[in-house]
Amino acid sequence: MGRHIPPLDRLLIRVIPPVLIVGVIIWVLANPAEAAAAISEMRTFVTGKFTWLFILYSVFTVVVCIWLATSKVGKVRLGGPNAKPQHSKFAWYSMLFACGQGIGLIFWSVAEPIMLRDENPVIPAGPSGGAEGAIVWTYFHWGLTAWAMYCVVAVCLAYSHHNLGKTLTFREATVDILPRWSRRGAGVVIELLAIIATVLGLATSFGFAAMQFSSGITSFTGIVASPMMWFMVILVFAGITSVSAIVGINKGMARISSVNSILSIALVLAVLVFGPTLFIISNMSQTFGSFMANFVDMSMWTDSGLAATTLESWQDSWNGWWTVFIWCWVIAFSPFVAGFIARISRGRTIREFVLGVTVIPTLIVMVWVAVIGSAAIFYDDKSDRGISAAVAVDTSAGLFAMLDAVPVVGTILLVVATILVATYYVTSLDSGIYALSEFVSAPHKSGPVFRVVLVLSVGTVTTVLLTLGGTAVVDTVQTGTIIGAFPFSFVIILMIVNLIRRLLKRDKAIRQLEKFINDPDPTLVFVPDPREEGAIRRVAFEGGKETGLPEKN
C-alpha cells in the first residue's frame, strides 16, 4: 500500500548518504580542530536558542503516550484485529530494552551519578550533598521521558506499517500530512536524514562500545587498550552481528537479547547482595519518592536565566551538558531504535505497546540505576572519591571501578559487565542494521547478504574513525550526529501529528482496510486509490483472472 518510489528518488536515497558520510569523515579527519570548533559552535547555537524546544518536545511525547494508553485508540491492534504477537513478552522486553538503552545505561549508570553528585539543579541538597539529586536526574534522563520519545516515533512507524500497509520508513509515516505537491521532495529529504543519522549514530556508538569493552578487558587482565585491540573488538562485534543478521531477527536477536537480560539480572542481584545492601535499599526508596515528587519540575526546567544573556558556549549551560544533550541523543537514535521496535511489535495493541515501551523499561532503568548508582556513590565515599577519580580519567571506566570494589564477587562481575557491553552493543547494532536495511531497500525486502554488507560498512566507518582519528574524532562525529537531531525533531513532530490525525479519522473504512491488508488470502489484490488515503479496491483473482466486480471499501 506504500507509494511508488520513482527510480530517481530511489537512486538519490541510495547514493547521497554514503557520499555525504564519506565527506563528513574526510572533513573531520583532515581538519579535526576546525571540525570540532564548527560543531561546537552549532551545539552552542542549538543549546542557547532552542533548549525550550527540546524541553517542550520531550513533555509533548509524554503527553501523547498518556493519550495513546488511556484513550479508546489504545484498543487498536498493530497488524489488524486478528494479529498475534511474534515474540513472548520476555523476549520482546529484552529486545526493545537492548536496542533502546542497554549500552547507554551500562555506560552512564555510574558515570552520571558520580559526575552530578556535586552539582545538579531542582532537587534540594540533602545531608549527603547532591548525591540524591544525581541519582534522581539519572532516573529522569534514562527513564520515562526518554522511552516516551522512542515510543511515539515507534508507534507512528508501527501503525503506518502494520495497519496501513506502508513501508517501514519515516517517509511513509510522515508525508501524508504535507501538501500533495511537496510530498515527493519531502519524502526524499526525510529518508536521507534518517539514513545518515542511523549510519553515523551506529558508527560512533560502535567506536565508544569498542573503547568501553577494551576498558573492561583492561580492568581484569591488565592489558593496556590500544588501536589494535579496538580493531579486534570491532571485528568480533561485526562478526557476531553478521551471524545474527544471517540467522534472522527471530532467532539471532531474540537469543542474544535474552542472554542480555539474564546477565543484567545476575549483575544487579550480585551488587545488591554482596554490595552495600542496606544503603542501596534505603537510597532506592528515597530516590524513587524524590523522582515522583520532582518529575514535573525536572521535565520543565530550562534554566531560563540563561535566556536573558548571550550564551558564549554550550559548556556554560547545565542543560547543554546534560538534558539537551541526552534528548538530542535520543532523537538522533530514534530512526533505528524506533524502526526496530516497530518491526518486532506486530500483534500488540497500542495500549500494550505504549505501556511495554515506556513503563516496563522505566522500572528496569530505575532499579538498575538505584542499585548500580547507589553502590557507586557508597564506594566513592569509602574510597575518598576513588570512583570519581576513575571517571575523571576515563568515563567508560566508572562501572568497572565500582564493580572492582564489590567484595567476594568483584572480579567475576568485571567479566560479566564486559560481556554485557559486547552483547548489548551487538543487539543495538543488529537492530540498527535491520532498520537501516528497511530505509535503504524499501519497498523491497532486504536479504541477509545485504544486511551483512551494511554491518561491514558500519564497521569500516568505525575503524577509520578510531584508527585514524582516535577518541577525539569519534567524539566530534557523534556530537555532530546529535546536532543533526535539531532538524530531525521537526520531522518527528510532523509524524506524530500525522499519527494523531490518522487515529482520529479512523472510521469504518479504515478499520476494514486494516483487516484487508492483513488478510492472508493470496487470491486478493489491493489497489490503493491515489486520491484518498484508506480507499482501496479489493479484487478477487482465480487462475490469474478477475472473478468478480471490484469492491470499493
Side-chain angles (χ1 to χ4, degrees):
M1 297 296 294
R3 291 176 176 79
H4 171 70
I5 303 175
L8 176 61
D9 295 12
R10 192 186 308 281
L11 180 65
L12 293 175
I13 290 171
R14 287 176 177 265
V15 172
I16 291 179
V19 171
L20 289 178
I21 289 165
V22 170
V24 168
I25 292 173
I26 292 175
W27 173 54
V28 174
L29 291 174
N31 304 283
E34 178 185 331
I39 290 174
S40 180
E41 288 181 10
M42 287 189 286
R43 185 172 176 181
T44 298
F45 172 78
V46 169
T47 302
K49 302 295 184 182
F50 294 100
T51 289
W52 63 271
L53 174 66
F54 290 108
I55 298 301
L56 292 182
Y57 168 78
S58 67
V59 173
F60 173 60
T61 60
V62 174
V63 172
V64 171
C65 284
I66 293 173
W67 174 69
L68 290 171
T70 58
S71 68
K72 63 180 182 180
V73 302
K75 298 179 181 178
V76 176
R77 188 170 297 277
L78 299 173
N82 299 319
K84 302 296 182 184
Q86 297 172 303
H87 305 282
S88 68
K89 287 189 176 181
F90 181 78
W92 184 55
Y93 293 144
S94 297
M95 286 191 288
L96 66 88
F97 183 78
C99 80
Q101 271 184 5
I103 191 66
L105 193 59
I106 282 186
F107 191 94
W108 290 107
S109 58
V110 169
E112 184 166 345
I114 291 297
M115 295 170 74
L116 286 181
R117 64 171 304 178
D118 293 323
E119 181 184 2
N120 55 78
V122 180
I123 313 297
S128 58
E132 176 183 323
I135 297 289
V136 173
W137 274 105
T138 308
Y139 294 160
F140 178 74
H141 287 147
W142 300 97
L144 179 63
T145 304
W147 280 101
M149 293 166 73
Y150 284 137
C151 180
V152 290
V153 180
V155 76
C156 289
L157 293 172
Y159 181 76
S160 176
H161 179 61
H162 295 305
N163 291 62
L164 301 182
K166 310 289 187 181
T167 54
L168 190 60
T169 60
F170 280 75
R171 175 184 63 249
E172 292 278 40
T174 307
V175 297
D176 293 344
I177 200 171
L178 299 174
R180 189 171 298 276
W181 58 267
S182 67
R183 291 178 183 176
R184 180 178 175 182
V188 172
V189 172
I190 289 169
E191 218 55 37
L192 292 177
L193 287 172
I195 292 170
I196 293 170
T198 299
V199 173
L200 291 179
L202 286 173
T204 52
S205 293
F206 205 165
F208 284 115
M211 288 185 285
Q212 189 174 31
F213 185 80
S214 299
S215 296
I217 293 176
T218 301
S219 69
F220 62 85
T221 66
I223 300 174
V224 179
S226 65
M228 179 54 68
M229 182 185 289
W230 296 340
F231 175 73
M232 295 302 296
V233 170
I234 291 170
L235 196 62
V236 172
F237 283 8
I240 296 173
T241 306
S242 297
V243 172
S244 180
I246 293 171
V247 170
I249 189 174
N250 291 327
K251 293 182 179 178
M253 178 71 172
R255 289 173 180 172
I256 297 174
S257 298
S258 296
V259 171
N260 288 341
S261 296
I262 294 170
L263 289 178
S264 297
I265 293 170
L267 181 69
V268 169
L269 287 177
V271 173
L272 177 62
V273 172
F274 292 95
T277 306
L278 182 59
F279 177 77
I280 290 173
I281 294 174
S282 300
N283 204 40
M284 182 185 296
S285 174
Q286 183 169 316
T287 52
F288 274 27
S290 181
F291 173 75
M292 290 184 283
N294 292 285
F295 178 77
V296 174
D297 289 343
M298 290 189 293
S299 297
M300 303 298 290
W301 192 77
T302 61
D303 198 6
S304 59
L306 289 179
T309 62
T310 300
L311 191 65
E312 297 295 331
S313 170
W314 62 267
Q315 296 174 324
D316 298 329
S317 165
W318 188 90
N319 270 322
W321 280 102
W322 293 103
T323 303
V324 169
F325 174 79
I326 293 173
W327 288 173
C328 285
W329 184 314
V330 172
I331 294 170
F333 279 48
S334 289
F336 75 83
V337 173
F340 178 75
I341 291 174
R343 168 166 281 284
I344 65 173
S345 299
R346 176 183 171 84
R348 312 282 176 184
T349 65
I350 288 180
R351 178 172 294 113
E352 182 185 6
F353 180 93
V354 171
L355 295 177
V357 179
T358 56
V359 176
I360 302 300
T362 297
L363 293 175
I364 295 172
V365 166
M366 292 178 69
V367 170
W368 178 287
V369 172
V371 175
I372 304 297
S374 296
I377 296 290
F378 179 86
Y379 290 125
D380 195 41
D381 289 337
K382 294 298 182 182
S383 62
D384 193 23
R385 296 296 182 101
I387 309 295
S388 295
V391 170
V393 173
D394 181 1
T395 309
S396 66
L399 175 65
F400 303 110
M402 184 279 290
L403 293 176
D404 194 39
V406 178
V408 183
V409 295
T411 303
I412 297 174
L413 295 184
L414 290 175
V415 177
V416 172
T418 303
I419 294 172
L420 273 175
V421 170
T423 55
Y424 268 126
Y425 187 72
V426 166
T427 49
S428 292
L429 182 59
D430 204 358
S431 62
I433 291 301
Y434 268 92
L436 181 61
S437 64
E438 290 280 355
F439 300 153
V440 176
S441 62
H444 305 295
K445 292 293 183 182
S446 63
V449 175
F450 181 66
R451 292 194 291 271
V452 170
V453 170
L454 291 178
V455 173
L456 297 178
S457 300
V458 171
T460 300
V461 172
T462 305
T463 302
V464 170
L465 290 175
L466 269 180
T467 56
L468 297 184
T471 308
V473 168
V474 175
D475 188 51
T476 298
V477 174
Q478 186 175 53
T479 302
T481 302
I482 293 168
I483 295 304
F486 175 61
F488 201 68
S489 64
F490 295 100
V491 173
I492 295 176
I493 291 171
L494 278 176
M495 187 167 62
I496 295 171
V497 174
N498 193 38
L499 171 71
I500 295 172
R501 180 187 68 86
R502 283 173 164 178
L503 290 175
L504 291 179
K505 66 174 287 189
R506 184 174 176 271
D507 53 16
K508 182 179 179 181
I510 298 295
R511 290 195 293 272
Q512 192 74 354
L513 169 68
E514 295 174 10
K515 182 179 178 181
F516 286 161
I517 284 174
N518 291 281
D519 193 323
D521 189 343
T523 66
L524 298 179
V525 176
F526 306 101
V527 184
D529 185 340
R531 297 166 299 174
E532 180 183 356
E533 181 183 14
I536 63 170
R537 288 192 303 116
R538 187 170 83 117
V539 183
F541 280 78
E542 185 175 342
K545 296 182 179 180
E546 186 174 325
T547 60
L549 293 175
E551 178 182 314
K552 179 139 179 164
N553 297 283

